[in-house]
Amino acid sequence: MDSISIKNHTLFTSESVGEGHPDKVCDQISDAILDRCLQLDPAAHVACETFATTNFILVGGEIGFQTGTKEEQEANVDKIMSEAETIARNVAIRIGYVSDDVGLNGYRCEFLNKLHAQSADINQGVVGEGVENKGEQGAGDQGMMFGFACNETPELMPATVYYSHQLLLKAHELRHDGKIEWLRPDAKSQVTIEYDGHKPVRIDAVVISHQHDQIIDGIDARASKENEAKVHAIIEKTLIEEVIKPVLEPTGLLDENTKYHINPTGSFITGGPDGDSGLTGRKIIVDTYGGMGRHGGGAFSGKDPSKVDRSAAYMARYIAKNIVAAGLSDRAEVELAYAIGVAKPVSIMVETFGTEKVEVSKIVDAVNKVFDCRPAGIVSTLNLKQPIYSKTASYGHFGRPEFPWEKTDKVDALKAAL
């Protein structure tokens, strides 16, 4: 992110990355394995990490099943061990990594499986057998999680990160539909918005770097510098006209001074895990609020909902969004903090940045009355023991109405509590 003064205004920048970004490939594989575990047992405990580089994928981590006999649980572990390779390959193929030419061939790349059973020491604190949580589900780890909401967009998301996601979703659509045949899977975007206080007033700059074929319209970009310039001109015009303008013109924030930076380094032919290695959990700011609002540091993908790194971050977003939707403030940031194996949060904080319509202490009291922030309460409230996580692993976890933490069904309850 970048913040500098212009007159009395401020510039703020957020980025997004596409499904073919190497880190996002890994997030999607980790969450696909998580979803398969939840299909076998909704109470499964999973912490799955993925690493990818040129024509190579590695998965590793811990898996534990809770339902059924010991033999049935062990059989499910064996099943995941045998299916993990197919799951990982299918993710790469779905994204579009299907040939050696793009650096990752889902059909034939090398694969290594280092998954194993979950530690019994961790498990006992989660399932209610720890020292301080007899009979009650405890947090799967210590830490603090943040949620954020603001009224800059109808989705109650910061405009910078929301529009960054929308640009790449549009490019994603055009690539998968075959309307722009030369697009390859890897992509990044960035949107800089000028703010007057908390109000977006114009888009100052847009950046898109999108991987592409070496030959476009019969022109080989690597044959000469002249050809590279011709190919770049085609890419620049296409992405501005087919991606940027359809997405951003309806906002009314583009103007004659908006700057466009399209593939600013020139050619972007080598990308994905071939251009840069990928790892689960390295795009936590892209996954959340684009730097607007704090982050507790915990990644989401590959973690089942017993791990508050993920579930409590979803709950914090749910709380913050309902606060703003209820008109209690224009902006809201919620912090939840936990101790491993302990059910009740050690703290709940609400920050409204001076935009509150009622006293913040009263909002905090209402939050405590309306929301059950114990791990089991979060899972129950948001119905998190279902295989929904693969869809979260690209284009952001928030601001998307298909996810249960995006509901604003506690607005009336918050108002009543006040």
Side-chain angles (χ1 to χ4, degrees):
M1 68 180 182
D2 182 29
S3 181
I4 60 175
S5 294
I6 291 187
K7 302 175 183 175
N8 295 319
H9 289 199
T10 301
L11 292 181
F12 193 86
T13 302
S14 297
E15 70 162 348
S16 179
V17 298
E19 64 171 356
H21 185 280
D23 295 329
K24 279 289 141 203
V25 172
C26 295
D27 285 345
Q28 290 167 89
I29 291 171
S30 293
D31 271 340
I33 290 173
L34 167 63
D35 279 351
R36 179 57 180 142
C37 291
L38 293 175
Q39 287 174 345
L40 294 172
D41 177 6
H45 292 162
V46 181
C48 176
E49 309 290 341
T50 304
F51 168 77
T53 187
T54 305
N55 259 333
F56 176 79
I57 297 171
L58 163 70
V59 298
E62 303 80 47
I63 294 174
F65 292 94
Q66 312 301 312
T67 305
T69 65
K70 181 180 179 181
E71 290 74 19
E72 289 170 333
Q73 293 174 15
E74 291 174 348
N76 278 337
V77 171
D78 291 341
K79 185 172 289 189
I80 290 299
M81 292 294 289
S82 66
E83 293 180 2
E85 179 172 354
T86 299
I87 292 170
R89 291 185 185 280
N90 285 343
V91 169
I93 291 165
R94 174 185 55 76
I95 292 170
Y97 287 114
V98 294
S99 72
D100 295 342
D101 187 44
V102 294
L104 181 67
N105 187 336
Y107 293 107
R108 50 177 284 178
C109 65
E110 185 180 357
F111 178 84
L112 185 60
N113 184 351
K114 288 294 182 180
L115 294 168
H116 59 83
Q118 184 189 42
S119 158
D121 292 343
I122 293 175
N123 188 62
Q124 70 178 359
V126 175
V127 301
E129 299 174 0
V131 173
E132 294 190 36
N133 69 319
K134 292 293 185 182
E136 185 171 20
Q137 179 181 332
D141 201 354
Q142 72 172 46
M144 65 283 189
M145 298 83 211
F146 290 90
F148 184 83
C150 60
N151 58 9
E152 294 177 19
T153 62
E155 296 76 15
L156 304 186
M157 284 289 288
T160 49
V161 71
Y162 181 75
Y163 295 140
S164 294
H165 289 322
Q166 294 304 305
L167 289 171
L168 294 187
L169 278 166
K170 182 63 175 180
H172 167 109
E173 171 192 323
L174 295 171
R175 179 171 66 87
H176 281 282
D177 288 350
K179 293 180 180 177
I180 305 180
E181 296 181 346
W182 41 260
L183 288 178
R184 288 182 174 180
D186 198 358
K188 300 181 78 171
S189 67
Q190 194 168 276
V191 175
T192 300
I193 289 181
E194 183 179 337
Y195 284 83
D196 181 0
H198 294 314
K199 181 182 178 182
V201 293
R202 59 179 294 274
I203 294 174
D204 186 72
V206 181
V207 181
I208 294 183
S209 295
H210 209 301
Q211 188 186 15
H212 59 87
D213 288 344
Q214 180 175 331
I215 299 174
I216 298 178
D217 292 352
I219 305 170
D220 186 342
R222 286 182 169 162
S224 66
K225 284 295 183 182
E226 182 182 1
N227 278 10
E228 183 181 38
K230 290 179 180 178
V231 165
H232 185 271
I234 294 170
I235 294 170
E236 184 175 53
K237 180 179 179 181
T238 302
L239 293 184
I240 290 174
E241 296 299 324
E242 301 296 326
V243 175
I244 294 175
K245 288 185 177 179
V247 171
L248 297 182
E249 279 187 340
T251 69
L253 297 174
L254 292 179
D255 63 24
E256 66 276 8
N257 295 317
T258 299
K259 300 177 284 291
Y260 302 101
H261 304 283
I262 310 300
N263 284 13
T265 62
S267 294
F268 184 8
I269 297 166
T270 302
D274 186 31
D276 189 10
S277 61
L279 192 66
T280 300
R282 286 203 298 200
K283 285 292 175 282
I284 58 176
I285 301 303
V286 170
D287 285 344
T288 52
Y289 309 103
M292 191 175 288
R294 285 171 282 195
H295 196 294
F300 300 157
S301 291
K303 298 177 181 177
D304 74 88
S306 74
K307 294 167 179 60
V308 286
D309 271 352
R310 184 169 212 160
S311 58
Y314 291 165
M315 190 64 163
R317 162 64 177 173
Y318 181 53
I319 296 170
K321 187 172 183 181
N322 275 271
I323 289 171
V324 175
L328 306 184
S329 66
D330 295 336
R331 303 165 77 80
E333 182 180 70
V334 174
E335 182 197 38
L336 304 175
Y338 295 86
I340 187 168
V342 179
K344 187 177 179 181
V346 298
S347 69
I348 299 176
M349 181 277 294
V350 177
E351 168 64 64
T352 54
F353 308 95
T355 67
E356 67 275 4
K357 313 305 178 185
V358 297
E359 291 179 23
V360 175
S361 61
K362 293 182 178 179
I363 298 175
V364 174
D365 288 342
V367 166
N368 277 288
K369 292 175 184 176
V370 172
F371 299 95
D372 183 357
C373 293
R374 296 171 299 170
I378 293 172
V379 170
S380 175
T381 299
L382 300 179
N383 192 20
L384 296 181
K385 290 185 177 182
Q386 51 179 325
I388 59 174
Y389 299 103
S390 293
K391 292 181 180 179
T392 69
S394 53
Y395 308 114
H397 293 242
F398 305 122
R400 299 167 61 183
E402 65 265 35
F403 299 135
W405 48 88
E406 292 297 314
K407 295 183 295 184
T408 53
D409 56 348
K410 297 297 185 182
V411 166
D412 291 339
L414 280 172
K415 290 179 178 178
L418 287 166

